[in-house]
Amino acid sequence: MELLDKLNWRYAAKAMNGKKVAEDKIERILEAARLAPTSSGLQPFEIIVIKNQALKEKIKPVAWNQSVITECSHLLVFAAWDTYTEDRINYMFDLTNEIRGFENEGWENYRQILLNSYPQKDSDENFNHAAKQAYIAFSQAITAAAFEGVDATPLEGFDPDAVDEILGLRKKGLRSAVLLPLGYRQTEEDWLVNLVKVRKPMKDLVTVIE
Ligand SMILES: Cc1cc2nc3c(=O)[nH]c(=O)nc-3n(C[C@H](O)[C@H](O)[C@H](O)COP(=O)(O)O)c2cc1C
């Protein structure tokens, strides 16, 4: 129940007050993103945390001038792999073997299945798949932020190519997928803060098959 209270408290803040979010809260929000499940456990994305105000100012005009970009405390950029490569797949399988301390035939066979499929696919298709995984982490970060009493504005209204250019993402094999400004709501400036949350009724969302 406590979780649902927090999810009702959260909303996509349209104005933030510039107050800094404590680093321990940011760390827990990032840890929630790190713990997100992903397809085959590949975690095919990185998260760029922008605290630098000048950089936020540069991004704002390519993000529809949305004020939360510069009013937030930390701007998270979820950047997905531009494609799946052999090295990237091997990195995660090797990491698993290293952390668990053993190799397993089934797991190694699965590695070969992925090596024989993803890298041969079109890079846009791979990026779209990777971006979906980034969104799972993004969603967990939003929930974790609510749990911490931190506002988060999910934000797709930006020019990804321009953000990639500003942050030099393409040369790192990354493409921006979605942004998440974290901070504190500025209630006097925000038209949305007092409006009732709108969600379709459960009957239009869920079909139960007995
Ligand atoms: C992927 C995604 C992208 C969004 N992009 C924007 C955005 O660019 N600007 C904005 O003000 N809100 C954006 N939103 C917020 C949604 O409009 C908002 O979550 C939705 O209307 C539900 O309202 P609530 O989050 O306040 O409960 C986005 C939400 C999601 C999940």
Side-chain angles (χ1 to χ4, degrees):
M1 193 57 196
E2 202 190 342
L3 177 63
L4 293 184
D5 288 340
K6 308 253 187 203
L7 293 180
N8 271 302
W9 170 84
R10 75 143 294 279
Y11 78 120
K14 303 296 177 218
M16 291 186 182
N17 62 13
K19 199 177 150 220
K20 294 289 165 221
V21 177
E23 289 299 328
D24 62 318
K25 285 181 181 281
I26 298 291
E27 278 167 24
R28 287 192 293 272
I29 292 166
L30 292 171
E31 179 66 355
R34 193 176 76 100
L35 289 172
T38 54
S39 179
S40 302
L42 291 177
Q43 294 181 274
F45 52 84
E46 295 182 23
I47 304 168
I48 292 97
V49 181
I50 303 175
K51 297 156 81 171
N52 183 286
Q53 196 61 21
L55 200 47
K56 290 188 229 160
E57 298 284 353
K58 260 185 157 176
I59 292 174
K60 187 179 170 189
V62 297
W64 303 359
N65 277 314
Q66 298 189 70
S67 66
V68 285
I69 297 281
T70 46
E71 292 163 354
C72 72
S73 167
H74 294 65
L75 175 63
L76 307 192
V77 179
F78 288 77
W81 291 353
D82 59 354
T83 192
Y84 288 99
T85 63
E86 288 193 7
D87 281 352
R88 283 170 156 172
I89 292 167
N90 280 326
Y91 165 79
M92 280 312 291
F93 277 78
D94 292 344
L95 184 66
T96 303
N97 290 345
E98 188 191 316
I99 290 177
R100 294 195 172 145
F102 64 88
E103 280 191 26
N104 167 285
E105 195 187 331
W107 186 239
E108 291 306 317
N109 289 341
Y110 188 55
R111 180 202 299 250
Q112 292 309 322
I113 291 171
L114 297 195
L115 288 173
N116 289 325
S117 60
Y118 281 132
Q120 289 77 30
K121 288 188 187 171
D122 172 69
S123 60
D124 275 343
E125 187 184 343
N126 277 342
F127 165 70
N128 286 330
H129 184 267
K132 282 187 201 168
Q133 315 313 311
Y135 271 77
I136 300 169
F138 165 75
S139 179
Q140 286 208 175
I142 294 168
T143 303
F147 194 78
E148 296 288 338
V150 171
D151 283 295
T153 309
L155 203 143
E156 257 179 349
F158 69 100
D159 175 349
D161 290 336
V163 169
D164 292 355
E165 178 67 31
I166 291 168
L167 298 176
L169 293 180
R170 292 296 183 111
K171 51 180 180 286
K172 293 183 189 159
L174 298 170
R175 293 170 62 180
S176 54
V178 69
L179 309 184
L180 191 66
L182 296 172
Y184 294 102
R185 61 189 68 180
Q186 184 171 19
T187 44
E188 314 80 56
E189 297 290 324
D190 194 340
W191 55 268
L192 187 57
V193 68
N194 290 320
L195 297 184
V196 173
K197 191 176 277 301
V198 178
R199 290 295 189 271
K200 62 185 182 181
M202 203 60 99
K203 71 174 176 48
D204 294 340
L205 180 71
V206 176
T207 301
V208 179
I209 302 174
E210 299 284 5

